[in-house]
Amino acid sequence: MSHGVWCYKTTRGKTPPKSVIPSKKPIKVELVGGKRYSWCTCGYSRKQPFCDGTHKTKAEGMKGLRFVPEKDSTVWLCGCKHTNNSPYCDGTHKQDFIASAPLHEYTD
């Protein structure tokens, strides 16, 4: 069973895009309260865990997940893109289907 955030436009006859796994570990970040962030949902961003817009060409129909933390905090954001608590890590990366999956390798 696949988990994660799948934000896509529904188009008849098209398969929704799937995210790739850029990391099998969560990514520790310092967030500023009240600041808007965009978490990468597709896994193709070179600015993990944040979105850089790569989904527009690599995972058409997906988009970053925008969020605003209430206060300054240190958090662990999901690196495998399969959390059920987006954008935060929920430990899904420890499951066999993530552990046995290939990591995304950047090209170009």
Side-chain angles (χ1 to χ4, degrees):
M1 181 172 178
S2 181
H3 303 278
V5 176
W6 310 126
C7 299
Y8 57 89
K9 300 172 190 167
T10 54
T11 306
R12 198 177 304 198
K14 282 193 173 184
T15 303
K18 290 188 178 183
S19 63
V20 294
I21 300 171
S23 174
K24 293 185 182 184
K25 297 178 184 176
I27 301 163
K28 185 178 180 180
V29 295
E30 303 288 330
L31 301 177
V32 176
K35 181 178 177 182
R36 183 171 44 170
Y37 294 91
S38 185
W39 175 70
C40 172
T41 62
C42 71
Y44 288 101
S45 174
R46 289 188 180 265
K47 295 184 177 183
Q48 292 296 328
F50 300 109
C51 177
D52 68 1
T54 304
H55 61 272
K56 294 173 186 172
T57 57
K58 300 271 186 175
E60 193 173 334
M62 292 185 86
K63 59 184 177 180
L65 175 72
R66 293 185 180 162
F67 70 102
V68 179
E70 291 183 21
K71 60 183 181 177
D72 293 1
S73 55
T74 301
V75 299
W76 293 91
L77 297 184
C78 177
C80 73
K81 309 305 173 189
H82 287 75
T83 182
N84 287 309
N85 188 31
S86 302
Y88 306 101
C89 177
D90 69 355
T92 299
H93 63 276
K94 296 175 185 175
Q95 294 185 24
D96 288 340
F97 80 99
I98 297 294
S100 63
L103 279 176
H104 172 67
E105 294 185 27
Y106 296 99
T107 56
D108 63 84

